[in-house]
Amino acid sequence: MINGIFTKRASLLGILLWSIGCVSAQSTWTNPIVKQGRLGSPLVESSPFVFNNKLYLLENNQKFWDVKGAKPGDFFHEDEVRIKDIATGKTVSVALTNHGFGTVLTHNGRVYIFAGSYGKGKPWRQMTEITMTSSADLKKWTKPVTVFKANPREFFYNTAVTRGKDKFILLYETNDPTWKPFTFRYLESDDLVNWKEIPGAVYGKDKYVGGPALYYEGGWYYTLYLENIKMGYETRITRSKDLVNWEDAPASRPFITFDPSIRNIPLIDPGIPESNASDVELCYYNGKTILYFTGSDQTTAGDLQWATYDGTPAQLFEYFFEDTQKQTFVSPDHKGDWAPVLIAPSGGAQHQNVQNEIKTKPSPQQLTYQQEQLGAFIHFGPATYIKSDMLAVPVADLFNPSKLDADQWVKTAQSFGAKHIVLTAKHHNGYCLWPTETTGYSVKQSPWKNGKGDVVGEFVKACRKYGVRVGLYVSGGDKHFGCTSTPDPQGERKLVGDINRYFPVFLEQLRELLTNYGEISYLWFDGAYDPFGWDVMDPETMKPLGTAFGDAIHAMVKHLQPGAVIMGGTRPDIRWSGSEQGWAAYPLWNVVKPGEGFSHWVGPQNAGWLPAEACLHTRDTWFWVPDSDKTLRNMDFMTKTYFESIGRGANLLINMTPDTSGIIPPNEVKSLYEFGKKISSMFSHPLAQSNQNLEGDTINLHMSEKNRVGLIEIEEDIHNGQNIQQYKTEAYIAGQWKTITSGLSIGRRRLEVIEPVETNQVRLIITKRSAEKKIRKFAVYAKR
């Protein structure tokens, strides 16, 4: 991964500088970024980005570079912010003139550019306004609008923007005399137009910083910044959860540093050595992180260079903070020990009491989950070694994943677009994939790593590394302990075993998982064989046990992991769609009405906002079995399930099956990658789209010429609930409007494949709705 020549040169340089008592620009720490070479350009502040699966470069071109003998600031009103196609080297368009320090963001099929405006009649670079323009094709740009103005005595310099946890975040570089020059301030916005300062969100108040870049990965805001060291300038990295409190990477780990052996820099004396490595910007493309930065000496111009990292930005950033001596995640804070209080339900009907408050809008956790749409399931455990027999209880030392590779699991999930992954930490046989203190039936009895291994720990660490949210499946039923329920139909199940002896054991297992592995985003409680189910009856009295056990489990999760969503149990946040074949019923309503829970796979005590999730096993079995590659679902089936689950407003959880060695077989990896590639290609080139949160009952899409429309995409903004109850889409054909689709629910996302129609106009008409509704996106595509 490391360019040997560069590493050797840097190491020798470090020894030389140390020997003469100077500060080394490059420490002995091995940087994973591979410099790929110089591009012979004076450009500074260049930002690579991906749009419609192509790699582009935003360039901030200063006109004086193009005029022989010109000085910095000459002709500055002709400075351009422009877009270059990296593959061809050609300029695609000029988005802004009379602007500088531009940055780029891609979001929902559009490219947004933010830059400082020079204005009229002002000296060079005394910018007091930040401008935004956007485009859906990189050719036609919207009229520039001013989105933020400087405070008194303040000028703007570099800008950077990212999509954060739940808002957009913009960083700008200021010369505010309150602090040392320069300083970074952070703004937030819901719509990319209206921005406000975040109280206390400042970086660099006590040192020189400059040339910023901003990214959000794995729950962290990462800022790249320029540090002034004795011999020059190098880019370093810091991070924050809240944009107020910052953690710098060790000074011995510069993000990118300079190479004094480089000379012949554009537009300056050819004898001057490089003493700068600044203005780093990056993006992820074709399995690599692509970086652009400038060398030179921080005077007349830059020396544009590029570099690569073989992995994701999240991996790269984490590398600079990783402590190889201990885990990189921290357990959540919690107070005291958990002691459940079981309260018997009141009244004669032991499970008919619906929650008093009927929520018709998603909680923040539910909304985050629904926005992700696609997740991955991992079924792995002793059943992997006994032909997917989930109810047998084999010997503990049978489990021996000698080549276990959790990184491979996560990479495979990401290849098809999964945003969260759920691992079977404990399935029905009771085997624990972590070294629990509650039972010997766990990885502590495995030959793998001599009983010192922790599958859950490795899984969680890999998820953190690649920026994927963590989910854990925990079976309530435990065949090894001997406490389950019968497999009877819902409403007729009976308890098996001693629930009073087992319940505290299960709670302790759950407490271990919720306190030893940092933030857990998703808990998946399987209803099958669950002794704590709302409908389970005492086998002697045939009376329901009620919801007390399940409610205590729910309360424990919410106490220890308040940000987690729960699938299953007596008080779920997410409900099952009713299918293990990857479909959800249509129409699909997120709100379950009182008394209707039973027909929606939740207890009758549940009502309110309960989004649905379908799950899909991609082989004939949930766990891997030998010679089962031939049963892998084909592409047509996978695509069909995507449209019949996500395309109906539900989420989809797609299973993956590590084999007995602990890796996902190559054919499965390839199949899932191809599936992800196909889904991505289907939605990468809209013929027309609107995503401005339009509120009218009719939304029109116009195309410059006729196209064969074969795929309709509609997204309702569900922040305030699901309010569209009926709709239709029409195409303008042969001089009149003709209905091409119609339906009832839209919700998170509605996808419809139709026989292609040739048209240049399509419209969406809402024919029935409640008082409030917004369309988040309406788009049409060619059928692929």
Side-chain angles (χ1 to χ4, degrees):
M1 292 173 60
I2 303 298
N3 183 309
I5 296 175
F6 170 72
T7 305
K8 183 177 180 180
R9 179 194 303 143
S11 299
L12 291 174
L13 174 65
I15 294 171
L16 174 63
L17 293 175
W18 174 82
S19 69
I20 60 176
C22 296
V23 177
S24 171
Q26 174 72 53
S27 76
T28 55
W29 176 77
T30 303
N31 193 312
I33 297 171
V34 181
K35 291 184 177 181
Q36 298 292 343
R38 303 162 67 191
L39 298 170
S41 168
L43 285 168
V44 188
E45 296 112 17
S46 296
S47 306
F49 66 97
V50 177
F51 184 63
N52 290 339
N53 295 320
K54 291 186 66 176
L55 187 60
Y56 295 92
L57 190 67
L58 178 144
E59 298 180 336
N60 289 274
N61 186 60
Q62 298 178 40
K63 182 63 176 178
F64 85 90
W65 291 333
D66 303 329
V67 180
K68 189 175 182 179
K71 304 182 300 298
D74 289 350
F75 316 106
F76 72 90
H77 288 298
E78 298 177 46
D79 287 359
E80 298 175 336
V81 180
R82 65 195 186 192
I83 305 297
K84 177 182 284 185
D85 183 328
I86 290 181
T88 65
K90 295 181 179 179
T91 298
V92 176
S93 64
V94 175
L96 293 167
T97 56
N98 195 35
H99 283 74
F101 298 111
T103 191
V104 63
L105 170 74
T106 59
H107 176 67
N108 277 354
R110 294 190 73 83
V111 174
Y112 295 83
I113 290 178
F114 295 81
S117 173
Y118 291 143
K120 296 181 180 180
K122 296 180 180 179
W124 183 50
R125 290 193 168 177
Q126 291 193 5
M127 293 175 285
T128 58
E129 295 182 356
I130 295 176
T131 294
M132 186 270 283
T133 181
S134 69
S135 174
D137 60 7
L138 299 182
K139 296 178 181 178
K140 298 177 183 178
W141 295 88
T142 58
K143 182 179 179 180
V145 296
T146 298
V147 296
F148 196 72
K149 294 184 178 181
N151 296 315
R153 303 185 306 158
E154 178 183 47
F155 296 123
F156 293 144
Y157 297 94
N158 286 283
T159 55
V161 65
T162 190
R163 174 67 177 172
K165 181 178 181 180
D166 52 9
K167 295 179 183 294
F168 299 99
I169 305 296
L170 187 146
L171 174 164
Y172 70 87
E173 184 181 358
T174 174
N175 72 334
D176 190 318
T178 306
W179 306 293
K180 288 186 176 182
F182 296 90
T183 306
F184 303 156
R185 306 186 79 167
Y186 297 81
L187 313 174
E188 64 180 10
S189 172
D190 293 317
D191 58 9
L192 294 170
V193 176
N194 300 289
W195 295 85
K196 63 180 181 180
E197 291 186 359
I198 303 171
V202 180
Y203 181 77
K205 293 186 290 186
D206 55 356
K207 63 181 177 181
Y208 176 95
V209 297
L214 177 65
Y215 304 94
Y216 182 75
E217 297 285 350
W220 290 94
Y221 291 96
Y222 291 94
T223 293
L224 305 179
Y225 67 95
L226 196 61
E227 182 86 358
N228 183 0
I229 63 175
K230 290 183 179 179
M231 294 190 62
Y233 301 83
E234 64 186 11
T235 295
R236 295 187 178 177
I237 184 169
T238 186
R239 68 181 181 178
S240 173
K241 289 281 190 179
D242 57 8
L243 298 170
V244 176
N245 302 290
W246 294 91
E247 175 191 358
D248 293 348
S252 60
R253 299 179 181 184
F255 195 77
I256 288 185
T257 193
F258 51 88
D259 180 353
S261 70
I262 291 179
R263 297 174 187 262
N264 295 307
I265 298 168
L267 302 182
I268 66 174
D269 185 324
I272 295 177
E274 179 177 277
S275 58
N276 173 71
S278 68
D279 299 279
V280 182
E281 297 271 3
L282 56 87
C283 69
Y284 186 65
Y285 181 67
N286 281 353
K288 292 181 180 290
T289 298
I290 311 295
L291 306 94
Y292 278 73
F293 66 99
T294 192
S296 193
D297 68 342
Q298 278 283 329
T299 58
T300 306
D303 180 23
L304 191 63
Q305 302 176 41
W306 74 294
T308 59
Y309 168 73
D310 190 14
T312 67
Q315 289 175 263
L316 175 61
F317 297 152
E318 181 62 30
Y319 189 89
F320 288 82
F321 296 88
E322 187 175 53
D323 184 344
T324 58
Q325 301 304 311
K326 60 183 180 181
Q327 294 175 316
T328 60
F329 51 85
V330 180
S331 298
D333 292 333
H334 61 96
K335 298 180 180 179
D337 294 326
W338 177 260
V341 178
L342 300 186
I343 301 174
S346 60
Q350 299 216 29
H351 53 71
Q352 299 300 318
N353 299 317
V354 177
Q355 302 174 62
N356 293 328
E357 182 184 359
I358 306 302
K359 296 180 179 179
T360 59
K361 300 177 183 179
S363 68
Q365 294 91 339
Q366 288 173 316
L367 184 61
T368 297
Y369 162 83
Q370 289 188 265
Q371 302 293 31
E372 291 176 344
Q373 298 183 87
L374 188 58
F377 224 163
I378 298 177
H379 275 71
F380 187 50
T384 304
Y385 297 77
I386 52 172
K387 297 184 178 180
S388 196
D389 186 346
M390 297 180 287
L391 298 178
V393 184
V395 293
D397 60 4
L398 177 69
F399 183 77
N400 184 20
S402 57
K403 297 180 181 179
L404 188 143
D405 186 352
D407 281 24
Q408 188 234 16
W409 301 353
V410 178
K411 288 179 181 179
T412 301
Q414 286 186 312
S415 77
F416 66 84
K419 300 298 189 297
H420 54 263
I421 308 175
V422 179
L423 170 69
T424 54
K426 174 192 173 188
H427 213 273
H428 303 324
N429 54 31
Y431 192 90
C432 298
L433 296 185
W434 74 101
T436 178
E437 296 299 322
T438 64
T439 177
Y441 198 57
S442 74
V443 288
K444 290 195 294 186
Q445 298 299 319
S446 169
W448 175 59
K449 296 191 174 182
N450 296 317
K452 303 297 183 181
D454 184 349
V455 178
V456 173
E458 297 203 15
F459 164 71
V460 170
K461 187 174 182 179
C463 288
R464 299 271 190 272
K465 181 177 178 181
Y466 294 96
V468 175
R469 281 159 45 93
V470 175
L472 296 177
Y473 167 113
V474 187
S475 172
D478 189 320
K479 297 285 285 187
H480 179 263
F481 193 95
C483 190
T484 64
S485 73
T486 61
D488 296 315
Q490 197 174 32
E492 301 177 20
R493 298 189 298 163
K494 294 175 284 293
L495 177 67
V496 176
D498 188 343
I499 195 170
N500 295 308
R501 192 167 67 90
Y502 170 58
F503 183 56
V505 174
F506 177 81
L507 282 184
E508 178 58 18
Q509 291 175 348
L510 194 57
R511 190 198 65 78
E512 290 175 345
L513 291 171
L514 298 180
T515 59
N516 292 341
Y517 297 99
E519 182 181 354
I520 306 299
S521 298
Y522 192 17
L523 268 295
W524 216 98
F525 294 127
D526 199 333
Y529 302 97
D530 178 14
F532 312 123
W534 61 268
D535 61 327
V536 174
M537 296 179 289
D538 184 299
E540 295 182 2
T541 65
M542 297 304 290
K543 291 183 178 180
L545 300 177
T547 64
F549 291 104
D551 290 353
I553 292 168
H554 174 272
M556 181 180 188
V557 173
K558 293 301 182 182
H559 174 71
L560 297 179
Q561 293 283 352
V565 294
I566 299 173
M567 157 69 191
T570 56
R571 302 287 180 189
D573 300 305
I574 310 299
R575 62 185 173 89
W576 184 42
S577 75
S579 168
E580 293 185 350
Q581 302 299 315
W583 56 261
Y586 186 84
L588 187 70
W589 308 108
N590 286 291
V591 174
V592 173
K593 296 179 181 179
E596 295 184 355
F598 191 85
S599 61
H600 292 289
W601 300 98
V602 294
Q605 73 277 7
N606 289 287
W609 190 273
L610 288 169
E613 177 185 73
C615 51
L616 171 67
H617 49 88
T618 52
R619 297 177 186 265
D620 278 355
T621 52
W622 280 111
F623 291 84
W624 178 85
V625 300
D627 195 30
S628 61
D629 279 8
K630 60 181 178 293
T631 70
L632 287 167
R633 309 287 192 180
N634 62 39
M635 193 62 63
D636 288 343
F637 184 91
M638 296 287 289
T639 305
K640 182 172 178 285
T641 61
Y642 187 92
F643 278 81
E644 291 182 349
S645 54
I646 289 174
R648 292 174 176 176
N651 274 41
L652 177 61
L653 202 58
I654 296 179
N655 192 49
M656 305 189 301
T657 58
D659 61 18
T660 53
S661 71
I663 62 172
I664 301 170
N667 285 342
E668 184 174 342
V669 172
K670 180 181 178 182
S671 174
L672 291 170
Y673 167 78
E674 292 297 334
F675 165 67
K677 184 177 178 182
K678 179 174 181 179
I679 294 299
S680 178
S681 69
M682 293 181 77
F683 298 99
S684 61
H685 295 89
L687 299 172
Q689 73 173 23
S690 176
N691 51 6
Q692 302 298 317
N693 269 354
L694 299 177
E695 299 183 10
D697 286 339
T698 300
I699 300 172
N700 291 281
L701 296 179
H702 298 272
M703 292 165 273
S704 58
E705 58 186 25
K706 287 186 176 181
N707 288 280
R708 286 174 59 80
V709 173
L711 173 58
I712 310 294
E713 179 183 26
I714 314 169
E715 295 183 10
E716 186 174 354
D717 187 337
I718 59 174
H719 284 78
N720 292 315
Q722 184 179 7
N723 298 305
I724 297 172
Q725 299 162 348
Q726 192 170 346
Y727 72 93
K728 64 179 178 179
T729 60
E730 296 181 338
Y732 195 68
I733 303 170
Q736 59 182 330
W737 289 100
K738 295 184 178 180
T739 298
I740 53 176
T741 70
S742 62
L744 299 174
S745 63
I746 292 177
R748 170 63 184 90
R749 195 176 185 200
R750 181 75 176 116
L751 302 173
E752 295 178 274
V753 177
I754 63 171
E755 285 300 317
V757 296
E758 191 165 308
T759 183
N760 66 343
Q761 293 186 67
V762 179
R763 67 186 183 187
L764 168 66
I765 302 174
I766 308 303
T767 55
K768 185 178 180 182
R769 62 179 175 85
S770 57
E772 296 182 43
K773 76 104 187 72
K774 287 184 180 179
I775 293 296
R776 180 184 179 190
K777 183 178 182 181
F778 175 38
V780 295
Y781 306 81
K783 186 176 180 180
R784 294 174 182 267

